[in-house]
Amino acid sequence: MDIKDIIKPENLVYQKTSLMTDKPLSYCPGCGHGTAHRILMEVIEEMGIQSETIGVAPVGCSVLAYDFMNVDMVGASHGRAPAVATGIKRCWPEKFVYTYQGDGDLAAIGTAETIHAANRGENITIIFINNGIYGMTGGQMAPTTLPGMKTSTSPYGRDLKSMGNPLKMTELLAQLPGTCYVTRQSVHSPRNVRRAKKAIRAAFESQKENKGLSLVEIVSNCNSGWKMEPVASNEWMVDNMFPFYPLGDIKVDGKLVNNQ
Amino acid sequence: MAKMKGAIVVDLEKCKGCEVCRVACPNDVIAMTNEVNHKGYHYAYQEHQDACVGCANCAVVCPDGVITVYKVKLSD
């Protein structure tokens, strides 16, 4: 059978969701942001809540997310997305509100907003992209940078004595009674992408049932910041990031799993 | 078991040549071109046309969502 006989509309099995705009993504080649954007939009499409969803994207690589996601978006100051999302959700409790934040945003400058939004049990969903680095500004050290990891501001590797320990924000937030669903996923392989999509779906479902704050951390690569090729950066992530940031559910239905 | 046959269509101008799809493909269907697109990237294409089973793994991991997948069931 010729390839032209296969490429027909009736044989279509997968195409980019219409909730992603046709604008080319501004991310580096191989960056996990694009995949995370797409599965988030696929979940919103499957739930049929495009017109009822409001996203908040603060500063970071994903600051231009409003150009790519075809839902209503609000730009927030650096780190303040959970505060802005709180306001939107309290004015409009029937809408779905999510924030899309990086690790420099959520774990550094926005720590207070994130922790207090979680502690108040705001009924929002946080998508947290963790690549252990400030990708947008040139690969500086973030709170989530691994011990010994080289960045542009820790060129000899992160020294725990002078630079402190990496911050596991997701485990920290799971301890708070206001959070309902907390999980850590990744998007580097087809299996992990499908799992991450299920996790985002579960997070939005728990928001629908007013159960409290849901957080999906996505451990991602930053090949430009890590100075690697995309495939090599994914392999480095599996070897180095996952032992420190293990994948899986941390809190389901308000109960901690695996005694974390 | 019925055999599946698939085909992919790559948006050449949006592909950034990251090769994540090439690694994700179980049948090594995808290769990168020697030519470059307008952005200067070596884009992905379906090199082995008969080997594709339309599993959509490449499209699922593509960060830029440039891959569209088609599939037919062969009646034999």
Side-chain angles (χ1 to χ4, degrees):
Chain A
M1 184 181 256
D2 192 56
I3 195 163
K4 280 177 188 156
D5 297 326
I6 303 174
I7 301 171
K8 285 177 181 168
E10 64 264 28
N11 297 332
L12 182 75
V13 286
Y14 191 94
Q15 70 172 353
K16 190 178 78 168
T17 166
S18 61
L19 266 67
M20 288 290 285
T21 58
D22 286 333
K23 196 167 174 167
L25 297 177
S26 58
Y27 306 116
C28 306
C31 175
H33 264 306
T35 319
H37 277 29
R38 201 183 65 247
I39 55 175
L40 174 60
M41 289 300 112
E42 283 174 3
V43 167
I44 291 172
E45 186 182 35
E46 283 169 14
M47 291 178 74
I49 52 170
Q50 182 185 12
S51 57
E52 296 153 44
T53 306
I54 300 166
V56 185
V59 179
C61 285
S62 58
V63 67
L64 297 172
Y66 51 76
D67 272 347
F68 312 128
M69 296 179 178
N70 206 356
V71 295
D72 290 329
M73 297 288 290
V74 177
S77 323
H78 207 343
R80 274 60 179 169
V84 175
T86 299
I88 297 170
K89 188 71 181 181
R90 287 195 177 192
C91 293
W92 237 335
E94 70 276 15
K95 299 279 182 191
F96 291 86
V97 181
Y98 70 88
T99 70
Y100 189 97
Q101 302 177 259
D103 54 331
D105 186 84
L106 184 139
I109 199 161
T111 321
E113 282 76 7
T114 309
I115 287 181
H116 285 290
N119 197 33
R120 290 192 304 267
E122 297 297 341
N123 196 24
I124 58 175
T125 297
I126 295 178
I127 312 291
F128 167 36
I129 309 292
N130 179 7
N131 52 20
I133 210 167
Y134 278 86
M136 183 203 201
T137 46
Q140 288 86 354
M141 193 185 81
T144 45
T145 300
L146 299 177
M149 185 174 164
K150 287 182 181 174
T151 67
S152 59
T153 47
S154 59
Y156 304 109
R158 181 174 186 162
D159 170 32
L160 296 186
K161 212 171 176 186
S162 60
M163 300 168 194
N165 287 287
L167 188 57
K168 290 187 177 179
M169 270 311 266
T170 308
E171 274 87 350
L172 197 68
L173 293 172
Q175 307 297 325
L176 302 174
T179 52
C180 162
Y181 179 66
V182 179
T183 184
R184 183 183 283 123
Q185 303 292 334
S186 82
V187 290
H188 69 287
S189 73
R191 189 176 65 167
N192 290 88
V193 173
R194 292 185 173 109
R195 280 186 189 163
K197 190 175 162 185
K198 272 185 197 156
I200 294 174
R201 174 84 190 227
F204 273 87
E205 295 285 357
S206 73
Q207 184 180 158
K208 196 177 186 179
E209 293 165 19
N210 293 324
K211 285 182 175 171
L213 189 133
S214 44
L215 174 83
V216 181
E217 173 179 347
I218 294 174
V219 182
S220 179
N221 60 347
C222 178
N223 39 297
S224 298
W226 296 352
K227 319 284 182 221
M228 291 176 196
E229 290 189 351
V231 174
S233 74
N234 278 338
E235 286 163 4
W236 190 89
M237 179 174 74
V238 172
D239 294 339
N240 296 280
M241 295 282 278
F242 290 175
F244 196 84
Y245 297 112
L247 304 185
D249 291 341
I250 296 165
K251 196 177 191 183
V252 179
D253 268 343
K255 291 192 183 87
L256 291 172
V257 293
N258 295 338
N259 300 320
Q260 293 207 37
Chain B
M1 201 176 118
K3 209 180 165 195
M4 295 294 187
K5 194 163 170 10
I8 61 167
V9 177
V10 181
D11 189 336
L12 307 184
E13 287 309 318
K14 282 192 192 157
C15 178
K16 292 177 183 164
C18 67
E19 303 192 24
V20 174
C21 55
R22 188 177 61 76
V23 178
C25 179
N27 295 338
D28 294 330
V29 171
I30 300 172
M32 312 313 280
T33 54
N34 288 326
E35 301 90 57
V36 294
N37 58 18
H38 273 85
K39 285 182 182 154
Y41 295 122
H42 297 281
Y43 49 89
Y45 77 107
Q46 186 179 349
E47 191 188 28
H48 304 292
Q49 303 209 339
D50 294 331
C52 181
V53 291
C55 67
N57 275 2
C58 52
V60 168
V61 290
C62 176
D64 294 270
V66 300
I67 302 177
T68 309
V69 185
Y70 299 87
K71 181 162 79 172
V72 288
K73 197 187 253 182
L74 294 182
S75 51
D76 53 355

